[in-house]
Every structure is written in structure tokens, then in C-alpha cells.
Amino acid sequence: MKILVIDGMGGGIGKSVIECLKQETDGHSILAIGTNAIAASSMLKAGADMSATGENAIVYNCSKVDVIIGTIGIVLANSMLGEISSAIAMAVSGSEAKKILIPTSKCNAFVTGVKEQSTAQYIDEIPRILKKLEEVNE
């Protein structure tokens, strides 16, 4: 399974996602793309197999992966203090890849019906969600 992790700003959430994936799952190819070099570097250090930076890298790779993981802001133009462009939001939302979106109020988005828990707790759920996706695809 090819997984794309997208993060911006400092890359802290993406870094945590990749660390969790590396500990809890096997055999997945993890591509980390940061909206900036700091985020990309942080995710690469966390264990991503490959890393890239910028809008074009995100847009280009969204159609080449099975799963996209990031905060809910990756589908909202101008979130992350403007780091998510309209092109990024469109590429992510238009991709046929399954999306695992982590709710966070830092993106100025509040999702109703989502249980209130910490970002770390949402990240801990990702391996279980991936396992379900694998079972459905078998």
C-alpha cells in the first residue's frame, strides 16, 4: 500500500503519524510531502521512505497513492495559515485515494459528531483504520 502523509507548518503531526505507522504497520511505502521544507524534513527524519516539498509535489502524487493522511485542513483551501492552496485542496479531495483526515481546530474546522480526544489519540487510530482498508481491498 502506498501512503502519502501531508503536513505543513512544523510537520509535527505528520512526524507523529509516520512514527506511529512505522511502529504499528508493515510493508507500506510512506511518502511524506511537506508544504514547506521544515515539515518535509521532520517527516523524513521520522522514518518516511521518501520526502518532497511543495504544492506541485502534493498535486502530482495525490493520484499515485492508495491512502492520503493529514489533518482535515488538507482539503480546505487557505488552511494552515495559507499553506494549503486551492490546488492542493482540490488534488487531495479529488483523488481516488482513501483519505484519513485528523480533526484539528488549528485548521479553523470543527467537525460535528467526532468524539473529542487529543490529536495523539486520533493518530493512534490510524493503523486500525489502515487494517480495515486492507481487509476491504482483499
Side-chain angles (χ1 to χ4, degrees), residues 12-21 24 69 102 117-129:
I13 291 175
K15 175 183 177 211
S16 296
V17 167
I18 291 167
E19 289 172 344
C20 180
L21 290 174
E24 303 291 330
I69 301 173
I102 303 162
Q117 57 186 23
S118 70
T119 300
Q121 289 171 306
Y122 285 119
I123 291 169
D124 288 343
E125 291 179 4
I126 292 173
R128 182 184 52 77
I129 295 168

Side-chain angles (χ1 to χ4, degrees), residues 1-3 27-30 66-67 130-131 133-134 137:
M1 186 178 288
K2 293 180 185 176
I3 300 171
H28 301 300
S29 173
I30 301 173
D66 302 305
V67 178
L130 282 175
K131 188 164 182 68
L133 291 175
E134 288 173 335
N137 290 330

Side-chain angles (χ1 to χ4, degrees), residues 28-110:
H28 301 300
S29 173
I30 301 173
L31 169 59
I33 304 183
T35 58
N36 62 66
I38 293 170
S41 175
S42 177
M43 292 187 288
L44 188 60
K45 287 178 187 173
D49 298 306
M50 295 173 284
S51 176
T53 303
E55 176 184 85
N56 192 64
I58 294 170
V59 171
Y60 177 77
N61 284 286
C62 279
S63 65
K64 300 183 179 313
V65 297
D66 302 305
V67 178
I68 299 171
I69 301 173
T71 65
I72 195 163
I74 64 175
V75 296
L76 301 170
N78 301 315
S79 66
M80 292 189 208
L81 299 175
E83 289 188 358
I84 301 299
S85 67
S86 298
I88 291 172
M90 210 146 90
V92 172
S93 63
S95 171
E96 293 196 21
K98 300 293 183 194
K99 290 126 190 119
I100 300 175
L101 301 174
I102 303 162
T104 174
S105 59
K106 291 180 183 175
C107 297
N108 289 336
F110 298 90

